[in-house]
Amino acid sequence: MARTLINVPQKAKRGEVIAIKTLISHVMETGFRHDNMGKAIPRDIITSFVCTYNGEEIFRAALHPAIAANPFITFHTVATESGTIAFRWTGDNGFSQDASAKITVG
Amino acid sequence: MSGPARLSIFAAPLLLAALVSAGAEIALNERRSAYDDMSRDNKAMQDDDTSNPGMLAVLDGEALWAAKAGASGKSCADCHGGAKASMKGVAARHPSFDASAGRPVNLEQRINTSRVQHQQASPFAYESKEMLALSAYVAMQSRGEPIAPPDDPRLKPFLDRGRAQFNQRQGQLNLSCGQCHDDNWGKSLAGNTVPQGHPTGYPIYRLEWQGLGSLQRRLRNCMIGMRAESYAYGAPEYVDMELYLMWRARGMKVETPAVRP
């Protein structure tokens, strides 16, 4: 299981622009490197990140081999209603990790 | 992988080194962490616990702290309670003297002593994911605390040895640690600012490593750069050097887990 760190404000005013920050542990092995014996190290990366707000997709990113280990993704959205902001990372070798945070909008 | 690049970076100071003579220790009020020389972005990464990748390992360490292990069937927490209180300041005063070893031991060795003698489990290897995670978790409990090497006369000969090593020219480049870190800090070395070389943030998340690494890994990097023979992980030479580095940084604040480029 990968470790995640999520930063979503617990409270926001309706219509407020909020920053969301996410961090996940992942090697992001490029597939272009070789080990000490000259053997190719197979690619192992996260390929997709999706954020939903009460079920509706609000942000999506495609990830590629040039992205560093432990990808940090930050973006903004508008606080519209109370509920759940959910995150899913998927990638090579069946990798899938979920996380979520609650937000109260008043 | 970073070997060849590192060598060429370090070859540059040959000239620079020829211009300087053996220097003196940095005045206490002139000391600064390499944090101060980092870019705004790297500082922001270290400052925010949800953007500092070192915190991912701290979460692993927190889980290990609570996990039962070994023949004792006990977790670290079963004996020590919450790390927040029991481990506060512990990293700031290591290496410390260990009577049964008859010499100073660093934080990693202290954790392994507890693991083997008290928990009755097998020791964690140096630089293993587990040791880095646990030492990051333990050391983070000292974040913001001043580095406070024990005032223990038994440490004196080891401290002296560490200082002597720091000032000893070595390797094919015939450089000492002090020539860079005492005499030429703040100057530029192939695009990097030479830091004063303080151990305030270990284990660190280094962007070049794409991961966490111990102080000894950092020291190995510098020794390889000097084209000197590095020691095995946990070697007494490294622990003595760590002891001197902690003494040299006395009073500076612990930053663990720090971020470095």
Side-chain angles (χ1 to χ4, degrees):
Chain A
M1 197 197 69
R3 297 272 173 202
T4 58
L5 283 165
I6 305 296
N7 190 341
V8 171
Q10 286 177 333
K11 285 188 191 133
K13 290 202 186 68
R14 194 175 309 275
E16 188 182 339
V17 174
I18 53 166
I20 295 176
K21 298 181 193 172
T22 70
L23 184 64
I24 185 166
S25 62
H26 197 285
V27 290
M28 294 299 283
E29 185 59 56
T30 61
F32 299 131
R33 302 197 311 157
H34 295 82
D35 66 14
N36 291 341
M37 306 306 288
K39 228 178 91 206
I41 306 173
R43 193 184 94 160
D44 180 14
I45 65 167
I46 294 172
T47 49
S48 155
F49 170 78
V50 176
C51 172
T52 57
Y53 190 162
N54 284 342
E56 187 192 341
E57 184 174 314
I58 56 163
F59 184 90
R60 168 184 288 271
L63 285 81
H64 295 279
I67 291 173
N70 307 316
F72 175 64
I73 299 178
T74 179
F75 53 95
H76 293 83
T77 191
V78 177
T80 51
E81 55 188 13
S82 298
T84 304
I85 300 189
F87 309 91
R88 173 168 289 175
W89 296 259
T90 49
D92 294 337
N93 308 313
F95 181 83
S96 181
Q97 181 70 42
D98 290 307
S100 65
K102 293 252 181 268
I103 182 166
T104 305
V105 176
Chain B
M1 227 182 71
S2 63
R6 198 128 289 278
L7 292 184
S8 59
I9 286 177
F10 273 72
L14 271 178
L15 267 178
L16 176 150
L19 301 175
V20 296
S21 53
E25 276 166 13
I26 300 166
L28 290 185
N29 61 0
E30 278 183 26
R31 289 171 314 165
R32 51 192 274 130
S33 161
Y35 172 88
D36 298 326
D37 299 321
M38 294 205 303
S39 70
R40 209 171 51 122
D41 287 345
N42 287 350
K43 282 182 181 164
M45 190 187 277
Q46 173 170 329
D47 290 345
D48 178 350
D49 280 350
T50 52
S51 72
N52 182 340
M55 291 306 292
L56 297 166
V58 167
L59 291 178
D60 286 337
E62 191 176 20
L64 282 168
W65 182 262
K68 299 194 187 297
S72 74
K74 289 197 166 121
S75 70
C76 316
D78 285 338
C79 291
H80 292 287
K84 214 174 176 153
S86 65
M87 291 293 128
K88 186 175 173 178
V90 171
R93 56 178 156 78
H94 273 84
S96 67
F97 196 82
D98 183 87
S100 56
R103 53 164 293 108
V105 296
N106 65 15
L107 184 63
E108 289 90 342
Q109 291 168 328
R110 183 72 76 193
I111 288 172
N112 264 342
T113 307
S114 229
R115 229 183 110 73
V116 174
Q117 289 181 1
H118 301 305
Q119 210 172 22
Q120 294 160 43
S122 54
F124 289 128
Y126 240 97
E127 300 307 292
S128 63
K129 193 166 184 269
E130 291 83 1
M131 180 51 93
L132 288 169
L134 209 42
S135 58
Y137 179 65
V138 168
M140 202 196 80
Q141 312 308 327
S142 298
R143 189 160 66 169
E145 295 288 307
I147 289 179
D151 185 13
D152 181 342
R154 294 172 298 177
L155 290 172
K156 176 90 171 40
F158 303 95
L159 178 65
D160 289 345
R161 223 173 285 166
R163 182 193 285 109
Q165 281 187 76
F166 190 86
N167 292 311
Q168 173 71 51
R169 281 170 175 265
Q170 50 186 314
Q172 291 177 335
L173 298 186
N174 197 29
L175 284 170
S176 75
C177 316
Q179 282 179 301
C180 282
H181 294 303
D182 280 343
D183 304 343
N184 286 292
W185 62 268
K187 291 189 189 154
S188 202
L189 178 56
N192 299 317
T193 302
V194 179
Q196 293 183 348
H198 293 301
T200 44
Y202 286 80
I204 55 165
Y205 188 89
R206 193 167 180 215
L207 300 176
E208 185 184 305
W209 294 334
Q210 300 268 296
L212 214 65
S214 70
L215 179 56
Q216 293 202 4
R217 180 166 178 198
R218 177 63 255 185
L219 301 185
R220 286 169 81 88
N221 269 201
C222 277
M223 292 193 69
I224 290 166
M226 295 153 80
R227 299 187 196 174
E229 208 165 314
S230 51
Y231 307 105
Y233 276 114
E237 287 85 352
Y238 276 140
V239 179
D240 295 350
M241 231 187 279
E242 281 187 53
L243 183 65
Y244 174 65
L245 289 174
M246 290 297 271
W247 181 82
R248 194 172 164 265
R250 64 199 177 281
M252 294 178 76
K253 292 204 162 50
V254 175
E255 297 170 53
T256 309
V259 170
R260 293 288 182 266

